[in-house]
Amino acid sequence: MEELIVSVVELKGSYASLGLKQSEEIKSSRLFEQLDLLQTLSTNSNSAKAQEILKTVSPGILEELKGIANGLEMELDLIVKFYSGYDVSFPPMGCTTFVNDDYYVRNYDFSPELYDARLVFCNPTDGYASVGFSHSVIGRLDGMNERGLVVGLHFVNNHDNEEGFIATTIVRMLLDQCGCIKEAVDLISNIPHGYCYNYSITDPSGVGVVVEASPQKQVIRFGNSLACTNHFESETLQEKNRREIQGSLKRNEYVRSLIKKKLSPISLYTNFNDGNSPLFFKYYKEYFGTLHTVVYSPKDLFLTIGVGENCEPIMISFKDYLNGTFTLPSVIKGKININ
């Protein structure tokens, strides 16, 4: 077993100041080691096109990227290529989500080598405050904002790609700019998608939504209780699934069985985080190992978090944090078995 440490990061102020603060973090942490990898993944990225789209779709994120560029004393074109998530390549990843009237429960499965290991509490002057796990600094793997909107991503396929943004950037855009499901669905249809991903979304209404998004088309599935894994279910998009989706289908079936049991948040957390659970994976060298488990509660803005396997859950009130009455831990620690 190896220790996995997730840093808890606080960001507040203008988007430019958020970028500047994160540039200092990049220079002083393992994130700096990712620059060579990001350069490889973004070889074909069109920085000028990305900036043009961001000016319209998400000007705040563009300002944040400018702040990072200023802090690192690097050209904006390079920073946009590295961190905007526009037209970049990325290995497959796995994710499993359960959504019911009150809770959103999720495992994120990937490799620790490409994991930011950051839980970011972000409060931009011109956007909604949010909490979520980051990817490539500005992106989010999943998160919840101050209005109780919860969003997470699920990789489906990277073969049928076009010029567009990777899902982690899109999740961040939704958290920053959308106060409810309707706004999120409206915005996601106006963003160019680079790859095939599912987006699982809920808010305090208790409604759940899965947006099946390909570069060519998006299909929306509503329901009060939903399971979401790594394949498209709609007939019109099933042809875009990978050839082998049996694992995704089995996880989906298991989550649907949990929906019927009406479990408590802690019971749901345990079902996802237990090292022997059919939802917990240890194939870290194959980019399919469970890195974090999180339960988002949109009605009361509460989080239950675990890092790695069989982690004692950390409870955080996002509402109390925003009110200044909750002190965050500096790190969250857990164990993973990478043998």
Side-chain angles (χ1 to χ4, degrees):
M1 301 289 283
E2 291 194 7
E3 189 171 52
L4 178 61
I5 301 174
V6 169
S7 300
V8 179
V9 179
E10 295 183 79
L11 301 171
K12 187 175 183 179
S14 67
Y15 277 100
S17 67
L18 302 186
L20 192 61
K21 182 172 182 179
Q22 288 176 112
S23 73
E24 295 302 315
E25 188 186 355
I26 291 168
K27 285 188 284 189
S28 63
S29 74
R30 60 185 290 273
L31 295 173
F32 193 78
E33 299 171 7
Q34 290 183 356
L35 286 175
D36 287 342
L37 175 62
L38 292 172
Q39 185 169 12
T40 301
L41 295 173
S42 60
T43 302
N44 299 316
S45 181
N46 186 331
S47 179
K49 185 71 173 293
Q51 292 178 59
E52 180 184 334
I53 297 170
L54 285 171
K55 285 177 184 177
T56 302
V57 176
S58 187
I61 287 180
L62 180 57
E63 289 303 308
E64 187 170 329
L65 292 167
K66 289 178 180 178
I68 293 174
N70 289 336
L72 293 179
E73 298 181 335
M74 294 176 65
E75 294 291 332
L76 178 61
D77 281 354
L78 271 181
I79 294 301
V80 170
K81 286 184 71 170
F82 291 172
Y83 292 111
S84 72
Y86 186 79
D87 199 24
V88 298
S89 58
F90 214 74
M93 61 182 74
C95 312
T96 304
T97 292
F98 164 108
V99 181
N100 69 6
D101 293 350
D102 297 306
Y103 308 111
Y104 176 108
V105 191
R106 170 177 166 82
N107 272 0
Y108 173 68
D109 310 310
F110 200 41
S111 163
E113 294 179 6
L114 296 172
Y115 186 51
D116 279 10
R118 297 167 78 235
L119 178 65
V120 181
F121 288 76
C122 184
N123 195 351
T125 305
D126 300 320
Y128 290 121
S130 66
V131 53
F133 288 88
S134 81
H135 167 76
S136 294
V137 181
I138 71 150
R140 297 291 182 269
L141 300 165
D142 49 67
M144 176 174 67
N145 71 16
E146 63 182 285
R147 296 290 296 274
L149 181 77
V150 183
V151 187
L153 57 81
H154 307 256
F155 173 85
V156 174
N157 207 336
N158 58 5
H159 295 306
D160 213 6
N161 62 300
E162 291 185 4
E163 244 189 62
F165 289 98
I166 196 169
T168 51
T169 303
I170 294 173
V171 171
R172 172 70 187 283
M173 291 176 181
L174 300 182
L175 292 171
D176 277 21
Q177 300 176 53
C178 302
C180 63
I181 284 174
K182 183 183 183 305
E183 292 177 5
V185 170
D186 287 345
L187 179 58
I188 207 169
S189 64
N190 288 310
I191 300 171
H193 296 258
Y195 298 100
C196 294
Y197 276 84
N198 283 322
Y199 297 84
S200 51
I201 307 172
T202 191
D203 67 12
S205 72
V207 174
V209 174
V210 173
V211 178
E212 299 186 354
S214 74
Q216 299 80 25
K217 183 178 183 179
Q218 290 86 51
V219 175
I220 301 165
R221 295 192 284 115
F222 287 88
N224 280 29
S225 298
L226 289 170
C228 188
T229 51
N230 300 104
H231 64 278
F232 289 146
E233 294 186 24
S234 63
E235 288 187 16
T236 55
L237 288 176
Q238 283 183 10
E239 64 179 19
K240 295 185 180 297
N241 287 332
R242 285 170 287 177
R243 184 173 300 176
E244 177 52 57
I245 60 170
Q246 288 305 310
S248 182
L249 290 169
K250 287 181 180 178
R251 283 183 285 125
N252 193 288
E253 182 180 353
Y254 181 75
V255 172
R256 291 181 190 280
S257 74
L258 295 180
I259 291 174
K260 298 175 183 177
K261 295 181 180 180
K262 301 187 182 300
L263 300 173
S264 68
I266 289 299
S267 295
L268 288 167
Y269 170 86
T270 301
N271 269 278
F272 275 67
N273 191 250
D274 188 319
N276 294 317
S277 166
L279 302 178
F280 196 100
F281 295 91
K282 304 176 186 181
Y283 309 118
Y284 295 99
K285 294 178 181 178
E286 291 79 32
Y287 301 101
F288 201 84
T290 303
L291 296 168
H292 70 248
T293 302
V294 59
V295 181
Y296 293 106
S297 305
K299 291 180 180 177
D300 60 8
L301 300 184
F302 209 79
L303 298 90
T304 303
I305 299 168
V307 172
E309 180 178 349
N310 297 326
C311 182
E312 188 69 26
I314 305 295
M315 314 288 192
I316 297 175
S317 170
F318 190 47
K319 183 183 294 184
D320 288 350
Y321 167 75
L322 293 174
N323 292 335
T325 58
F326 187 93
T327 302
L328 297 175
S330 59
V331 297
I332 301 174
K333 297 181 180 181
K335 299 282 188 180
I336 57 174
N337 186 347
I338 62 172
N339 292 327

